[in-house]
Amino acid sequence: GMPSVKGSSKRDEDRPWKNDMWLPRAISKVGDDCPPNWLTACSKYANADSEHTLYLGLEMERLIKERGLWAIYEHRLHLPRVACEMECYGVTAIGTYTDATIREYEQYVAEESDELVTIAAEYGHKLELAEGASINDNMRDFFYGAVRQECSRCSYTKRIKHWAGEMEKGEVCPKCAKSTKRRQGMSHQLEVKRCENLALPVVYNNKRVNGSLDKEAMAEYLATVDGNAYEFIRLLFDKRGHDTALVYMEAYRRFWMPVPGRPGFYRIHPSLNPCATDHLRWASNSPNLQNVSGDSKEISNRACFGPLPDREWWRMDFKSIENRIPAYESNQEEMIELFERPTEPPYYGSYYLLNASITCPDLFWPLSEREGAFKREQPVAYKQVKFGTLAMQYGCGEEKADRLYRMQGAYSLLKNKLPKLTALQYKYLGIAERTGFVETLPDRSVDPTRGYPILASRTEDGRVLSTTPFNYHVSGTACWVKNTALIRCADQCAQWQKDGFDAHVILEIHDEILFDLPRGTTMEDNLPRAMVLKGLMEQSGEDLIPCIPTPVSVEYHTESWAQGIQI
């Protein structure tokens, strides 16, 4: 009955009793003959830690005040309360929608698997798909080309993992060389056999010890290949997405609990952690609801969730906040124009089109006066620009950017064409190299003199990793904006509850906040309250120094989280 109970790290020893220290108190409340100390056994056991950590806590308090971070610390103390309120209320899931989505995705996985095997067979490769989203050496053979050493006399075959740096050698067959009672072993040379298959270049993982086919590597391939290779990778990417979504949905079913009096509706109470990451992003587990993705219309597990029949949901999302922050902070005119003129040529509010005008002007400018023309008529170029832009946004280096844009010098060209943005990036790199950390933008409502400090990543030789300081500053500031919005909105909902209107913040995911309100007769009934919440969220951007416009989009949901009305 407790799906979050984990087994012991020792395989022969399971200790679920460690998760049940609340039981004595719970039993004593309903039992008549329980020992009196059962009521306090758990608190006495747990409170022993307080005595030992008190002195550490006092020293931490001294250091926080000494470093001028006490106002920020006190402000962040509101987040555990907000998280607790969200956990206790929970998120509702709909059983029929979940079952239907699981069946639909299982069908997709089966069809995609058949297509992948068929494409590989055209190359003469017998594809062995790993279970779920995992990868195997057979798949690497198809991606990078298969190299084997074979014995022409017997059935011995040895795979050469060239993607992991392994080299073929002039070896003799160990099976033939082995002596038996019936025959003397013989020296028989192994022959090298090669099959090119897709013959894609190896994209290595961070440790550069093995060829990687993770999400980042797949995105790079999608930006740089065409033809059969592109179709195979696209199918594999979609299959992985469906496989992963199926794992998530099974977790939702494992943790949900029936809503009393509401057949077919379930409530999930995830464990939320607002302090899980260095750069202010939240995490959740049991189950993880940070993975309820809405990025893709084709693969979205939001169809599992929806309000109760007498409730309605309002989804609010900061628009392109991680692009707006560097644009307005650096005062880079070209980027600000994207947000000030979102419906006008030549960029129509698209950061991808701005970069396309710089990296492939001959293809872009003839199509710039017609909205969507570049994406429709130059799909390959648009794809390259999109993946290159996203990679640079998250801090990739020059070599990878040039490879994704398929243009030598694209990284330097973009840096030179957007000089104020580049100067801002170097500013935060210099701060990180000097101090070891960067800060979010200051918030005038909390502390106008400084922001939240975020440690910079370092390389093995101890130097600051050059690609992370600016990214941490931007993403950290975006998370700060969302967190301050959460506190304001939770306080507003608490006030409405006191006034008799049962409003709740039920979930946050990245730049989104989800609200659960009593259902009105029409959408217009609660629209004024929704606009109040929208204004509270946008206030967080206005409080930054400098002020960053952070508009919020609003969606209204009555049936499913996956289907809503844009306001």
Side-chain angles (χ1 to χ4, degrees):
M2 295 180 64
S4 60
V5 171
K6 302 295 191 297
S8 168
S9 57
K10 300 178 181 178
R11 294 184 179 180
D12 59 343
E13 181 185 2
D14 236 12
R15 295 184 286 183
W17 54 266
K18 295 196 70 165
N19 295 266
D20 298 343
M21 294 177 182
W22 50 271
L23 271 176
R25 180 176 176 84
I27 293 173
S28 67
K29 287 185 175 182
V30 298
D32 297 327
D33 54 352
C34 298
N37 67 333
W38 280 28
L39 274 171
T40 58
C42 183
S43 60
K44 284 185 176 179
Y45 170 79
N47 203 36
D49 291 342
S50 303
E51 179 182 353
H52 297 289
T53 58
L54 172 62
Y55 302 102
L56 177 61
L58 293 172
E59 177 62 11
M60 293 292 287
E61 179 179 334
R62 184 189 69 79
L63 289 171
I64 291 172
K65 289 180 176 178
E66 181 182 282
R67 297 180 184 183
L69 295 168
W70 189 252
I72 292 174
Y73 172 75
E74 285 191 310
H75 178 75
R76 299 249 319 150
L77 286 179
H78 293 286
L79 291 176
R81 168 181 56 83
V82 175
C84 181
E85 292 168 356
M86 293 162 64
E87 287 177 357
C88 291
Y89 188 78
V91 183
T92 47
I94 305 172
T96 53
Y97 290 0
T98 304
D99 294 340
T101 306
I102 288 176
R103 289 193 299 269
E104 181 182 2
Y105 282 16
E106 286 175 341
Q107 180 65 29
Y108 287 154
V109 169
E111 294 172 354
E112 289 157 353
S113 298
D114 289 343
E115 291 186 59
L116 290 169
V117 170
T118 300
I119 292 175
E122 294 174 358
Y123 287 81
H125 183 82
K126 187 177 181 181
L127 188 66
E128 299 172 6
L129 288 167
E131 187 174 346
S134 57
I135 199 69
N136 56 25
D137 287 344
N138 178 279
M139 181 68 77
R140 291 189 176 95
D141 277 347
F142 185 63
F143 263 77
Y144 311 131
V147 180
R148 286 176 170 77
Q149 289 182 310
E150 299 179 355
C151 178
S152 59
R153 183 179 178 277
C154 69
S155 58
Y156 178 80
T157 301
K158 177 184 178 182
R159 170 185 277 119
I160 304 299
K161 300 180 181 181
H162 58 95
W163 60 82
E166 192 174 304
M167 305 290 290
E168 64 265 23
K169 301 175 183 177
E171 300 180 35
V172 298
C173 175
K175 188 174 180 180
C176 293
K178 189 175 181 180
S179 299
T180 66
K181 292 181 178 180
R182 296 183 178 181
R183 66 171 178 82
Q184 182 69 27
M186 61 181 66
S187 177
H188 198 85
Q189 200 76 15
L190 294 175
E191 299 178 8
V192 177
K193 299 289 182 68
R194 288 184 171 83
C195 186
E196 294 299 321
N197 295 326
L198 295 181
L200 296 174
V202 180
V203 175
Y204 288 99
N205 56 22
N206 291 334
K207 297 181 179 179
R208 296 192 65 84
V209 296
N210 207 348
S212 174
L213 294 176
D214 60 11
K215 185 176 180 179
E216 186 176 338
M218 298 288 279
E220 182 168 336
Y221 284 131
L222 286 172
T224 55
V225 302
D226 299 303
N228 280 347
Y230 176 83
E231 182 63 20
F232 183 89
I233 295 167
R234 184 192 63 78
L235 280 168
L236 181 60
F237 192 82
D238 288 347
K239 175 186 175 296
R240 282 184 173 183
H242 288 122
D243 277 324
T244 302
L246 285 169
V247 173
Y248 293 158
M249 287 186 280
E250 290 296 342
Y252 306 153
R253 293 205 294 194
R254 190 165 71 250
F255 282 93
W256 69 24
M257 300 176 66
V259 178
R262 303 290 181 144
F265 286 88
Y266 303 84
R267 200 176 292 276
I268 299 175
H269 301 273
S271 295
L272 304 176
N273 185 354
C275 304
T277 64
D278 289 341
H279 41 88
L280 307 184
R281 196 172 292 283
W282 287 39
S284 70
N285 58 71
S286 302
N288 180 8
L289 292 188
Q290 290 287 307
N291 58 35
V292 185
S293 171
D295 295 338
S296 169
K297 294 181 180 179
E298 293 76 24
I299 304 176
S300 173
N301 40 359
R302 295 192 174 187
C304 303
F305 300 90
L308 293 173
D310 58 346
R311 310 288 297 183
E312 62 188 33
W313 284 2
W314 293 81
R315 168 187 170 268
M316 306 202 184
D317 185 8
F318 286 105
K319 296 180 182 178
S320 304
I321 188 170
E322 292 198 9
N323 285 331
R324 290 176 183 272
I325 291 170
Y328 283 92
E329 185 184 359
S330 66
N331 199 30
Q332 185 69 58
E333 293 85 355
E334 295 89 342
M335 293 182 67
I336 293 175
E337 183 182 357
L338 300 178
F339 307 115
E340 302 292 338
R341 301 169 54 195
T343 61
E344 298 179 27
Y347 307 126
Y348 296 97
S350 171
Y351 193 19
Y352 303 146
L353 296 184
L354 171 61
N355 283 354
S357 71
I358 297 172
T359 58
C360 48
D362 294 341
L363 298 177
F364 172 77
W365 286 111
L367 306 172
S368 62
E369 293 300 316
R370 291 184 289 128
E371 186 173 3
F374 180 72
K375 183 178 180 179
R376 290 192 305 270
E377 299 178 29
Q378 295 291 342
V380 175
Y382 180 84
K383 178 183 66 175
Q384 293 163 6
V385 171
K386 176 181 177 180
F387 284 112
T389 301
L390 289 172
M392 289 188 66
Q393 180 179 334
Y394 291 105
C396 77
E398 181 174 0
E399 179 184 351
K400 182 173 182 178
D402 288 354
R403 188 164 65 247
L404 290 174
Y405 277 106
R406 285 194 179 182
M407 174 185 173
Q408 192 68 30
Y411 181 88
S412 299
L413 181 62
L414 287 166
K415 294 285 187 181
N416 293 333
K417 290 290 185 177
L418 302 172
K420 293 181 179 179
L421 178 65
T422 302
L424 189 66
Q425 292 170 339
Y426 283 122
K427 169 189 170 182
Y428 284 103
L429 176 59
I431 291 173
E433 289 177 336
R434 187 172 67 254
T435 65
F437 63 90
V438 293
E439 292 184 355
T440 62
L441 287 177
D443 186 325
R444 58 174 50 87
S445 69
V446 179
D447 185 344
T449 64
R450 64 178 308 179
Y452 184 95
I454 302 173
L455 282 174
S457 297
R458 294 185 179 274
T459 59
E460 292 182 357
D461 60 1
R463 293 182 59 84
V464 168
L465 188 61
S466 62
T467 57
T468 60
F470 186 65
N471 182 32
Y472 281 7
H473 163 73
V474 172
S475 62
T477 300
C479 289
W480 176 272
V481 168
K482 183 261 302 174
N483 288 339
T484 56
L486 264 176
I487 295 170
R488 285 193 180 95
C489 292
D491 290 344
Q492 179 63 72
C493 288
Q495 182 58 53
W496 284 339
Q497 290 169 25
K498 291 180 181 178
D499 298 338
F501 184 81
D502 190 33
H504 295 270
V505 180
I506 59 173
L507 199 61
E508 66 80 43
I509 298 181
H510 307 314
D511 301 328
E512 300 177 41
I513 302 179
L514 188 62
F515 300 92
D516 185 305
L517 308 181
R519 182 171 297 194
T521 306
T522 65
M523 180 180 68
E524 284 72 21
D525 287 355
N526 287 328
L527 184 58
R529 294 184 189 270
M531 292 301 102
V532 170
L533 296 171
K534 177 179 185 290
L536 291 173
M537 291 178 65
E538 293 175 341
Q539 177 64 41
S540 295
E542 296 173 12
D543 285 340
L544 295 176
I545 302 174
C547 173
I548 306 291
T550 53
V552 171
S553 64
V554 181
E555 277 187 3
Y556 172 71
H557 302 262
T558 57
E559 300 297 330
S560 164
W561 193 1
Q563 298 176 345
I565 300 174
Q566 189 78 31
I567 305 301

